[in-house]
Amino acid sequence: ANKELSGVGNGDNKFSTLGLKAGDIITIVAHKSTYQGTIEAQGAYFESKTGGKYPGYIAAKASASWLELPQTSGDDPYDYLCHMMNDDSRSHSIYYSKANRLASWVAYPLYSSSTASRSDAYAFDPLLGEEDQPLLNSSYQNRTHDGEEFIRGHMVPSAERSGRSNLDVFLSTNIMPQSTALNGGVWGDMENMVRTWARSCDTLYVVAGTDLNDARLKVEDTRGYEITVPSAIFKAVLAYSRSFGYKGLAAYFANDRSDASAPLKEKCISIDELEKKTGIDFFVNLPDNVEDEVEAQDPASVTWWW
């Protein structure tokens, strides 16, 4: 049945009563009259709603002060996106390149690890147009180029988000073309260590991302649309505990089989060094004196990590 909206045109509409969510398509009907060139809507009402493809989406209330966020700019070609959890706390933020159909980074807090059931619900992100992101549905097959196989790699791992939030990590904005060998090797070791570290501190702030510098290779999604393959992938990690304050660590991996068998400790570097490699300014919301100290730390010399 039609549902009338009161006060359309004077700021008193009732869209909040319709239970709309991202991806819904609504139809508004209005009778129009013209007076001295001005078109006025009279008696507008809601006619129909088509359900979105992604039920349960929660609107984000992002804060620029979150500690996990790297520096952003209004002048660069990236879009900032944010997904929330059921309790209205943040799940993860995304800095996304439409031109590459790939995120530059995904940033999130982690408080403890939990055993999450994989939804494997690969889908479009409702915050972006479908043309601007890859289609990575169940019919997607791993891509091979010059003997290197690439799979759908997660930036926020499935194991770190449970329940409805696990759906979010299978959205295309959290997925990157990743070397299969790397995913099953040292990158997996890094993910396991991140969850171990999270159990030993109050909050772990994580940035996982892609190095698009010198990235030349493209692979195709299910539709044949191109996705840029990052030349390397990384994680930057900030640990906070009331007992020791802050500690910082980064890791950087070539996105091919060459780094797959490397010991994790050998691939860990200071955050300062990662910033030089990627051009990204991490953890900018720390006080300057704390940021300078933490980002200069050589992780190999900080026994807490190991």
Side-chain angles (χ1 to χ4, degrees):
N2 293 343
K3 181 171 183 178
E4 298 210 8
L5 298 178
S6 65
V8 171
N10 65 7
D12 186 31
N13 60 56
K14 303 297 182 183
F15 285 108
S16 61
T17 67
L18 302 180
L20 298 178
K21 58 183 179 295
D24 287 351
I25 299 173
I26 65 171
T27 301
I28 300 293
V29 176
H31 302 289
K32 294 186 290 186
S33 62
T34 301
Y35 178 71
Q36 294 182 345
T38 300
I39 298 177
E40 299 177 344
Q42 297 179 345
Y45 59 91
F46 164 77
E47 186 176 66
S48 63
K49 180 179 77 170
T50 301
K53 298 179 181 178
Y54 183 57
Y57 172 74
I58 300 174
K61 299 175 183 177
S63 169
S65 66
W66 290 338
L67 276 182
E68 69 270 18
L69 293 179
Q71 183 66 51
T72 62
S73 170
D75 298 327
D76 62 30
Y78 296 96
D79 287 280
Y80 175 80
L81 314 172
C82 182
H83 287 278
M84 307 298 282
M85 296 188 184
N86 278 337
D87 63 2
D88 207 30
S89 64
R90 63 196 186 272
S91 174
H92 58 280
S93 297
I94 306 154
Y95 213 42
Y96 189 82
S97 168
K98 293 177 181 176
N100 293 290
R101 294 192 177 90
L102 183 67
S104 171
W105 49 257
V106 177
Y108 61 100
L110 185 63
Y111 303 101
S112 64
S113 65
S114 61
T115 302
S117 298
R118 288 175 62 96
S119 65
D120 285 310
Y122 290 95
F124 286 123
D125 192 318
L127 299 180
L128 284 177
E130 295 182 1
E131 295 294 306
D132 296 320
Q133 50 187 315
L135 177 61
L136 303 171
N137 56 11
S138 59
S139 61
Y140 180 86
Q141 300 294 320
N142 294 346
R143 304 307 193 210
T144 302
H145 183 84
D146 289 341
E148 189 76 56
E149 184 182 61
F150 296 95
I151 64 170
R152 298 172 292 188
H154 288 70
M155 282 176 260
V156 182
S158 173
E160 293 174 13
R161 291 293 183 262
S162 60
R164 194 208 57 82
S165 294
N166 190 261
L167 294 173
D168 288 351
V169 303
F170 285 90
L171 300 178
S172 63
T173 50
N174 186 52
I175 306 298
M176 58 185 165
Q178 184 181 33
S179 160
T180 302
L182 182 65
N183 181 276
V186 68
W187 181 262
D189 297 339
M190 181 69 182
E191 290 183 332
N192 289 332
M193 283 304 298
V194 163
R195 291 188 284 276
T196 297
W197 295 329
R199 290 194 293 269
S200 302
C201 63
D202 296 321
T203 307
L204 203 70
Y205 301 96
V206 185
V207 185
T210 62
D211 191 348
L212 297 175
N213 297 319
D214 301 320
R216 300 287 183 267
L217 178 62
K218 307 279 188 179
V219 293
E220 294 182 347
D221 73 353
T222 306
R223 302 165 297 186
Y225 288 17
E226 288 188 335
I227 317 163
T228 300
V229 178
S231 55
I233 59 178
F234 63 81
K235 283 186 185 280
V237 181
L238 177 69
Y240 171 73
S241 170
R242 284 165 288 186
S243 63
F244 60 68
Y246 293 98
K247 299 182 186 297
L249 169 149
Y252 185 85
F253 311 95
N255 191 23
D256 55 44
R257 66 181 67 250
S258 66
D259 273 346
S261 301
L264 175 59
K265 193 172 182 179
E266 292 182 6
K267 302 306 299 181
C268 289
I269 57 178
S270 70
I271 296 170
D272 279 342
E273 188 173 349
L274 181 63
E275 290 182 337
K276 292 175 183 177
K277 288 178 178 292
T278 62
I280 299 171
D281 190 359
F282 296 97
F283 305 120
V284 294
N285 287 317
L286 285 171
D288 288 344
N289 62 323
V290 177
E291 181 182 1
D292 291 343
E293 178 185 351
V294 167
E295 294 188 352
Q297 291 174 354
D298 175 8
S301 67
V302 180
T303 56
W304 183 84
W305 297 110
W306 315 111

